């Protein structure tokens, strides 16, 4: 297992190109199976999750070739209506295969996804939607088995206890394109990745209206055709580099972004005290600390789009950990997504977690320490914290980070970070009983 070894304290400066969005690309790869002809995706990020989804497609006898950011998906052989536990347990987004299997092969079996590091992630809304379309389902041996004798358009709500579900909206949207008649999804998710999927399906020949709103109307068609498509930029990766600029007192220009997808993130960063410049028709963003004002603490709540994304919560907590004053962050999507808090405290942060809230008292500095990534975004946030910290840190279990950040350490190093990758080894403590010297910290 590898880890990042980071000497913190370098301001990150320069230009970085943001990669294609993982969370947009995963459903597009599955949506390609709705056609009988090949699809070519461009700007595909080279990530563990993308390769896991490629394995899911290959398991279903779909030919997928991936090189230099281009993936060609030929669904001619698509004939296997099930996803095994081994693949499902690697990545919950394998659930996106369900919709295309149901629509094209009339049946589907998937291993039931278990819990994960960011808390409970049920799939009841996916199943509710498929039932509404006329799919019969039962659960046996840890698998969900589904079959139908004609997908029928239907009206449904996909509202859950924490708002609409991105995954369920994608899955039902895909299946409904080939259902008979009209499907209306109320309380649909509105994330830019859903709009991207809808536009991709329209390019394939689907009839969809209401994209970007919470009501989607889909009129089923008989067949769809493969298309050439360029995957949208990753708004969460862009938020990560923006936060990196602010945490390290740097100045970063991000290319290949869509500022319009980052409304809540950018406006909270502005409130905090960032200077944000939009260039090149809002496809380039420059971020640094505002030279004429001090950063301010924030009260934030994450929620469904267009609210602040849960995927940037750990980044904000890390930034606010170094912001004078008291900030409060409430997690509105995943009640337990706070595994980074204790790790940040190991770096010297002063954060108290109570239920789905974190109360953050800003400290003057973080000090290097070994820390452990518990999930993708926590791992990214800890890497940034280490870059801002004094001294050396080791960020362990970086395989989580590599699920979603393309060439992360290479991009950070190009911006001036002192980061290298090594095999994980024991962390040897620097022996310091702290005799009241400047460098010691109260326990
Ligand atoms: C997507 O997950 C993203 N994953 C997540 O990104 C992201 O955090 C999440 O949306 C929210 O924005 C991908 O796009 C691959 P949901 P998804 O269904 O679709 C509840 C990352 O770091 N819910 O919108 O699984 C659920 O428990 C990842 O890149 C139900 O109750 O999320 C949660 O509270 C992590 N029943 C809320 O809805 C269901 O059937 C939103 O989940 C489904 C979800």
């Amino acid at each position: 297992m590898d880890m990042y070894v980071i000497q913190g304290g370098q301001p990150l400066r320069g230009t970085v190109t943001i990669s294609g969005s993982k969370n947009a690309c995963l459903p597009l790869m599955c949506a390609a199976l709705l056609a009988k002809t090949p699809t070519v995706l461009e700007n595909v990020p080279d990530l563990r999750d993308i390769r896991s989804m490629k394995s899911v497609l290959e398991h279903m006898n779909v030919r997928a070739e991936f090189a230099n950011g281009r993936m060609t998906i030929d669904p001619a052989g698509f004939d296997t209506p099930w996803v095994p536990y081994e693949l499902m347990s690697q990545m919950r987004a394998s659930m996106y295969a369900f919709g295309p299997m149901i629509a094209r092969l009339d049946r589907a079996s998937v291993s039931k996804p278990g819990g994960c590091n960011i808390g409970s992630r049920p799939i009841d809304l996916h199943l509710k939607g498929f039932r509404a379309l006329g799919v019969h389902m039962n659960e046996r041996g840890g698998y969900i088995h589904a079959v139908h004798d004609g997908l029928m358009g239907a009206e449904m709500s996909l509202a859950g206890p924490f708002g609409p579900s991105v995954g369920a909206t994608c899955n039902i949207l895909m299946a409904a394109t080939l259902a008979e008649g009209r499907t209306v999804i109320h309380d649909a998710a509105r994330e830019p990745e859903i709009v991207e999927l809808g536009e991709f399906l329209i390019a394939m020949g689907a009839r969809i209206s209401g994209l970007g709103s919470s009501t989607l109307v889909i009129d089923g068609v008989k067949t769809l055709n493969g298309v050439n498509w360029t995957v949208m930029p990753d708004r969460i990766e862009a938020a990560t580099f923006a936060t990196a600029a602010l945490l390290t007192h740097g100045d970063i220009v991000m290319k290949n972004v869509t500022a319009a997808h980052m409304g809540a993130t950018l406006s909270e960063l502005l409130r905090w005290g960032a200077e944000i410049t939009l260039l090149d028709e809002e496809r380039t963003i420059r971020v640094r600390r505002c030279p004429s004002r001090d950063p301010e603490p924030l009260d934030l709540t994450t929620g469904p789009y267009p609210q602040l994304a849960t995927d940037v919560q750990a980044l904000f907590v890390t930034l606010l950990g170094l912001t004078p004053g008291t900030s409060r962050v409430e997690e509105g999507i995943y009640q337990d997504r706070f595994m980074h808090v204790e790790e940040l405290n190991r770096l010297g942060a002063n954060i108290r977690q109570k239920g789905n809230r974190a109360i953050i008292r800003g400290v003057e500095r973080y000090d290097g320490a070994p820390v452990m990534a518990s999930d993708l975004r926590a791992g990214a946030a800890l890497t940034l914290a280490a870059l801002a910290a004094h001294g050396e840190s080791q960020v362990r279990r970086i395989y989580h980070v590599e699920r979603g950040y393309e060439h992360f350490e290479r991009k950070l190093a190009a911006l001036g970070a002192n980061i290298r990758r090594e095999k994980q080894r024991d962390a040897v403590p620097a022996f310091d009983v702290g005799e009241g010297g400047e460098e010691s910290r109260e326990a």
Side-chain angles (χ1 to χ4, degrees):
M1 242 189 278
D2 285 356
M3 64 180 179
Y4 294 144
V5 178
I6 294 170
Q7 298 290 337
Q10 310 295 324
L12 300 194
R13 296 181 203 282
T15 300
V16 63
T17 301
I18 299 303
S19 300
S21 159
K22 162 184 86 84
N23 288 350
C25 192
L26 292 169
L28 297 187
M29 289 170 71
C30 289
L33 311 188
L34 294 166
K36 289 184 180 155
T37 52
T39 280
V40 179
L41 298 174
E42 307 274 1
N43 200 32
V44 174
D46 192 354
L47 299 170
R48 263 169 37 112
D49 276 11
I50 296 294
R51 291 188 178 272
S52 298
M53 187 60 93
K54 181 170 174 283
S55 304
V56 171
L57 301 191
E58 286 164 347
H59 160 81
M60 298 188 295
N61 285 327
V62 172
R63 272 189 45 218
E65 277 159 27
F66 181 33
N68 304 321
R70 166 183 295 186
M71 187 172 298
T72 306
I73 299 170
D74 182 354
F78 179 31
D79 66 354
T80 307
W82 66 286
V83 181
Y85 174 75
E86 288 68 30
L87 292 172
M88 200 70 197
S89 59
Q90 269 176 36
M91 188 185 57
R92 300 173 56 87
S94 310
M95 189 65 196
Y96 283 138
F98 201 93
M101 286 190 287
I102 279 290
R104 287 280 320 279
L105 308 178
D106 299 341
R107 55 196 312 121
S109 294
V110 292
S111 156
K112 230 181 138 191
C116 84
N117 293 349
I118 61 175
S120 159
R121 296 180 73 183
I123 53 166
D124 57 307
L125 295 170
H126 298 242
L127 305 187
K128 175 185 171 192
F130 284 112
R131 278 199 190 94
L133 294 178
V135 178
H136 307 287
M137 273 176 280
N138 66 49
E139 288 181 36
R140 228 180 20 249
Y143 276 75
I144 294 160
H145 302 282
V147 63
H148 67 87
D149 46 19
L151 271 189
M152 297 298 293
E155 194 158 347
M156 68 187 82
S157 156
L158 291 180
F162 306 106
S165 158
V166 171
T169 305
C170 286
N171 234 339
I172 302 303
L173 181 57
M174 286 191 273
T177 57
L178 292 177
E180 179 139 358
R182 172 167 286 193
T183 298
V184 181
I185 306 176
H186 297 287
D187 307 302
R190 301 164 57 188
E191 270 68 4
E193 293 77 14
I194 309 258
V195 176
E196 171 96 342
L197 172 64
E199 287 171 349
F200 176 81
L201 291 167
I202 290 170
M204 291 173 85
R207 293 175 58 206
I208 300 167
S209 61
L211 287 173
S213 79
S214 49
T215 304
L216 298 178
V217 180
I218 305 121
D219 287 301
V221 296
K222 292 268 179 266
T223 53
L224 296 174
N225 299 307
V227 289
N228 283 20
W229 192 265
T230 301
V231 178
M232 64 181 251
D234 192 322
R235 63 192 170 107
I236 310 297
E237 189 198 5
T240 306
F241 281 99
T243 313
L246 301 173
L247 266 167
T248 65
H249 295 255
D251 186 345
I252 297 182
V253 174
M254 299 180 292
K255 291 195 152 182
N256 186 34
V257 291
T258 305
H261 294 165
M262 298 179 65
T265 295
L266 296 181
S267 64
E268 294 301 351
L269 292 178
L270 280 171
R271 259 192 340 125
W272 176 86
E275 183 183 87
I276 294 172
T277 316
L278 305 184
L279 305 157
D280 180 26
E281 294 179 349
E282 306 196 352
R283 297 194 48 80
T284 297
I285 306 181
R286 178 182 177 194
V287 181
R288 60 176 184 155
R289 288 179 178 231
C290 183
S292 58
R293 60 172 273 225
D294 289 331
E296 283 177 24
L298 299 174
D299 277 6
L300 303 173
T301 305
T302 63
Y305 192 85
Q307 296 173 56
L308 190 69
T310 171
D311 294 344
V312 301
Q313 180 254 104
L315 300 171
F316 271 93
V317 169
T318 304
L319 182 64
L320 295 170
L322 285 179
T323 304
T326 302
S327 297
R328 287 173 192 78
V329 173
E330 183 174 332
E331 171 55 52
I333 303 287
Y334 297 113
Q335 305 298 292
D336 300 325
R337 199 177 196 176
F338 276 119
M339 302 272 276
H340 41 285
V341 162
E342 282 311 321
E343 296 301 295
L344 287 170
N345 285 345
R346 289 165 51 69
L347 293 168
N350 181 354
I351 308 171
R352 205 154 44 86
Q353 183 206 341
K354 243 186 165 182
N356 68 334
R357 281 158 213 250
I359 298 166
I360 304 156
R361 295 201 166 77
V363 295
E364 230 164 74
R365 58 185 252 185
Y366 292 154
D367 284 312
V371 289
M372 196 173 75
S374 54
D375 75 87
L376 164 58
R377 308 302 170 189
L382 289 169
T383 305
L384 301 194
L387 289 168
H390 288 238
E392 182 176 300
S393 298
Q394 300 169 353
V395 182
R396 289 151 180 270
R397 303 206 178 167
I398 57 170
Y399 57 87
H400 286 297
V401 179
E402 293 176 343
R403 293 185 63 164
Y405 288 90
E406 190 180 38
H407 310 314
F408 197 39
E409 89 259 28
R410 214 188 293 166
K411 287 185 178 182
L412 290 169
L415 293 168
N418 186 338
I419 179 170
R420 63 180 195 279
R421 192 194 178 85
E422 279 186 15
K423 286 267 166 272
Q424 247 178 238
R425 55 179 155 80
D426 285 342
V428 182
F431 190 69
D432 173 10
V433 289
E435 293 174 327
E438 293 240 314
E439 297 298 307
S440 74
R441 203 177 263 288
E442 270 184 39

